[in-house]
Amino acid sequence: MSAPAMGTTKTAHSDVAPKKKRGPGALATAYLVIYNVVMTAGWLVIAVGLVRAYLARGSYHGLYYSIEKPLKFFQTGALLEILHCAVGIVPSSVVLTGFQVLSRVFLTWAVTHSVREVQNEDSVLLFVSAWTITEIIRYSFYTFSLLNHLPYLIKWARYTFFLVLYPMGVTGELLTVYAALPYVQKTGLYSVTLPNKYNFSFDYHTFLILTMVSYIPLFPQLYFHMMRQRKKVLCHVEEYKTESRNGELGRFDLTMVLGNHLGQFWAVAWLIRCSSHLQYTTCFLFSLSLMVPGQKLDTILGIKCNLGHSNALCSNE
């Protein structure tokens, strides 16, 4: 068997060389930038609407009506994200994205819109507030990432605030669905009973209960996916630890430390407000645990991230 020529060997090596991941094309990138800018602006409109309505009324009751239309519009617009994943211009899981988006669209239209009696529930304000903050951060993150100018503060907020906002939003969603159950059962909303010409029955009340149960296996997947992403993306905290031990704390690292503490105090203030106005004692107790010196949110969730004592944030486990 003759040896291959040098040119052939080069070609073979180049063929098996690992290929870099290619991002979306120029046209797809331009479209995604426009989409994310519009969505960021939309959720900012919702945030401003909530604040203005609260200042005008002096109460959080009935704030849903002040942002009902933009909430429906921009939350429904998130359905395009599933399409983005399906066609491959966004490298995210179609299943996880679909669960997150469809659950919110379902709650917006099939529960909150359809069962008007729940629109004054405190739980509605809870999930709307969580969605609003989350989406402003998330779409800003996507926009700056596509432009290759991502500020560290937005990156940190994207992979830190979800620790509080995701459970907060899911709690509001589940409580809202639970509050809607008696009205759905009483009115038979969206239910189909036998006999009928199609010989088909559907109990919307039971469907809502099954929807609540589905959160048990699905929400942890989304949550811990974000935990893994946080561990990977914010892994350069190790650089801060090394430099701080050597007395070389730079401006960038100081910004990171201040950002961490400001974020913790923001979360504490927000959750204390939730607990005092909405009487969510669990949220309040969780917020108190954030005040433990030298720890971050991850510690409470089982990941040791004490900057002075653990390398767990950047471990490969």
Side-chain angles (χ1 to χ4, degrees):
M1 192 171 181
S2 59
M6 290 182 65
T8 310
T9 306
K10 268 188 177 180
T11 306
H13 283 301
S14 63
D15 287 342
V16 297
K19 294 181 180 179
K20 292 184 178 180
K21 279 189 176 180
R22 295 182 61 185
L27 188 61
T29 299
Y31 161 73
L32 288 173
V33 168
I34 294 171
Y35 173 80
N36 286 293
V37 167
V38 170
M39 295 298 283
T40 303
W43 285 98
L44 281 170
V45 167
I46 294 171
V48 171
L50 284 171
V51 173
R52 290 183 60 184
Y54 177 78
L55 294 176
R57 300 182 184 189
S59 171
Y60 61 87
H61 290 295
L63 292 184
Y64 172 80
Y65 301 107
S66 63
I67 50 87
E68 181 178 6
K69 290 181 179 179
L71 175 67
K72 290 176 179 177
F73 181 82
F74 287 103
Q75 187 56 73
T76 305
L79 288 171
L80 289 172
E81 293 185 36
I82 304 175
L83 180 62
H84 298 164
C85 298
V87 299
I89 61 174
V90 173
S92 298
S93 167
V94 177
V95 175
L96 290 178
T97 302
F99 167 68
Q100 184 179 21
V101 173
L102 290 175
S103 65
R104 291 183 176 187
V105 172
F106 173 80
L107 193 75
T108 300
W109 288 101
V111 179
T112 311
H113 169 77
S114 302
V115 186
R116 302 194 70 83
E117 289 84 356
V118 304
Q119 293 176 1
N120 283 319
E121 292 286 332
D122 295 342
S123 56
V124 173
L125 180 60
L126 186 64
F127 76 71
V128 168
S129 300
W131 288 4
T132 302
I133 299 169
T134 298
E135 298 300 64
I136 290 172
I137 295 171
R138 189 168 68 92
Y139 287 117
S140 299
F141 173 86
Y142 292 154
T143 301
F144 285 107
S145 295
L146 288 164
L147 296 173
N148 295 318
H149 292 287
L150 179 62
Y152 176 78
L153 183 60
I154 292 180
K155 180 193 288 187
W156 175 86
R158 163 68 174 151
Y159 290 103
T160 301
F161 280 20
F162 82 91
L163 294 167
V164 174
L165 294 176
Y166 275 23
M168 176 178 161
V170 167
T171 300
E173 294 171 24
L174 291 174
L175 288 175
T176 301
V177 175
Y178 181 77
L181 289 177
Y183 301 103
V184 171
Q185 189 174 36
K186 182 180 178 180
T187 61
L189 179 69
Y190 298 145
S191 296
V192 179
T193 57
L194 291 171
N196 57 66
K197 64 179 181 179
Y198 300 107
N199 197 29
F200 168 80
S201 65
F202 174 73
D203 185 12
Y204 188 54
H205 179 265
T206 303
F207 178 77
L208 287 180
I209 295 174
L210 293 176
T211 299
M212 295 176 69
V213 172
S214 72
Y215 275 68
I216 297 173
L218 293 175
F219 170 70
Q221 291 187 47
L222 177 64
Y223 192 76
F224 289 113
H225 169 73
M226 285 298 297
M227 292 284 286
R228 290 190 295 270
Q229 289 295 105
R230 183 180 196 271
K231 181 178 178 180
K232 181 170 67 174
V233 172
L234 299 186
C235 194
H236 60 266
V237 167
E238 285 297 305
E239 297 175 8
Y240 157 75
K241 293 169 62 178
T242 303
E243 291 179 2
S244 61
R245 287 191 189 117
N246 297 330
E248 299 175 358
L249 183 62
R251 184 179 63 178
F252 174 83
D253 297 311
L254 181 60
T255 303
M256 181 179 68
V257 176
L258 292 175
N260 280 326
H261 288 291
L262 286 173
Q264 288 183 25
F265 282 116
W266 180 90
V268 170
W270 174 258
L271 289 173
I272 288 176
R273 187 167 186 79
C274 287
S275 64
S276 60
H277 289 287
L278 304 178
Q279 299 180 353
Y280 290 122
T281 307
T282 303
C283 290
F284 177 65
L285 293 175
F286 183 78
S287 69
L288 290 180
S289 65
L290 304 185
M291 300 176 70
V292 179
Q295 294 186 356
K296 290 196 249 179
L297 295 172
D298 308 58
T299 310
I300 302 161
L301 295 166
I303 296 181
K304 296 178 181 178
C305 289
N306 189 307
L307 290 179
H309 298 89
S310 176
N311 296 327
L313 182 64
C314 295
S315 67
N316 293 322
E317 298 177 357

